[in-house]
Amino acid sequence: SLQVERMKRFSGGWTFQGNYTWSKSLGEEDGDGSALGANYRTLRNRGMDKKLLSYHRSHVWRSNALWEFPFGPGKRFAGAGGGWTARLIEGWQMGAIFNVFSGEPIGAGAVGAFNNFGGNTPMAVAPFDNSTGVAERTNNGVVYFSGLSQVPDPSIANITTLQGIRGRSTMLAIADASGRLLLVNPEPGQLGTLAPRFLEGPGSFRLDLNLIKRIRISESKELHLRADAINFTNSPQFGNPDANINSLNFGRISGAGGSRIVVVGMRLNF
């Protein structure tokens, strides 16, 4: 990983701290239990299950800042004022927390054409970028792979027509906007060539703000008025899309969080 931090200690009425992390977390499986050995698709080549771990995030930016408004006695503006006017304009403070995260790793699913525990992946038959996908709102919900489409898997042609078996196949493949095949289901006895957790889900960001007004009542008493806005921009935190190439919901995002929350409070310090 690479970690960079910038900090400005409190002076001139404001302070700032921000850090950026670029990282890559690789492994064969999350955790350390002995049962994890059963999760390999094949013990003949355990390296095939080397993948991004579930807590991997390529990019993480975290920052926070605090600013005291420069108004009132002893401040840059209206410093010589007094009385109720000074009480009204002094003691204001604003804080902010701003975080940006890359999406978590997700894996594309396919049929199990090999006798294995699970974690089946498709065959990549053309170059396929791991950054494919962006959350887009449409009239029919939120989709992630808008440039891709599902088509019948070409291997259906190899299924027998006896008793209508071929017609019952629900195998699908993924094609790009030009109709070129990108991902197909493995043939019987094959393991998918696409790495597990190859794709990256939707990223997210959040801005939290607060505003505080301090009112000194006496030498030992002070009243605090405070307003906090969690997720000030009301930006949705989209869940991961369905990434199974055979699913009728392929590419659809069915969950999201991140509602704006505003809290107003008052506190007396004595």
Side-chain angles (χ1 to χ4, degrees), residues 97-119:
I97 299 175
F98 181 62
N99 296 329
V100 181
F101 303 92
S102 293
E104 65 179 283
I106 56 177
V111 299
F114 192 85
N115 184 20
N116 61 75
F117 178 82

Side-chain angles (χ1 to χ4, degrees), residues 34-41 43 116-118:
S34 59
L36 296 177
N39 290 345
Y40 291 108
R41 289 183 290 166
L43 294 177
N116 61 75
F117 178 82

Side-chain angles (χ1 to χ4, degrees), residues 51-52 105-108 121 124 127-132 183 193-201:
K51 56 182 173 288
L52 295 172
I106 56 177
T121 67
F128 189 69
D129 196 333
N130 64 353
S131 62
T132 299
L183 303 176
T193 56
L194 197 70
R197 295 179 185 163
F198 179 76
L199 297 167
E200 187 175 273

Side-chain angles (χ1 to χ4, degrees), residues 70-125:
F71 306 110
K75 302 294 184 179
R76 182 178 179 182
F77 300 104
W84 286 105
T85 302
R87 289 290 184 90
L88 181 64
I89 64 174
E90 71 175 351
W92 288 94
Q93 174 185 295
M94 185 176 186
I97 299 175
F98 181 62
N99 296 329
V100 181
F101 303 92
S102 293
E104 65 179 283
I106 56 177
V111 299
F114 192 85
N115 184 20
N116 61 75
F117 178 82
N120 307 294
T121 67
M123 301 285 292
V125 295

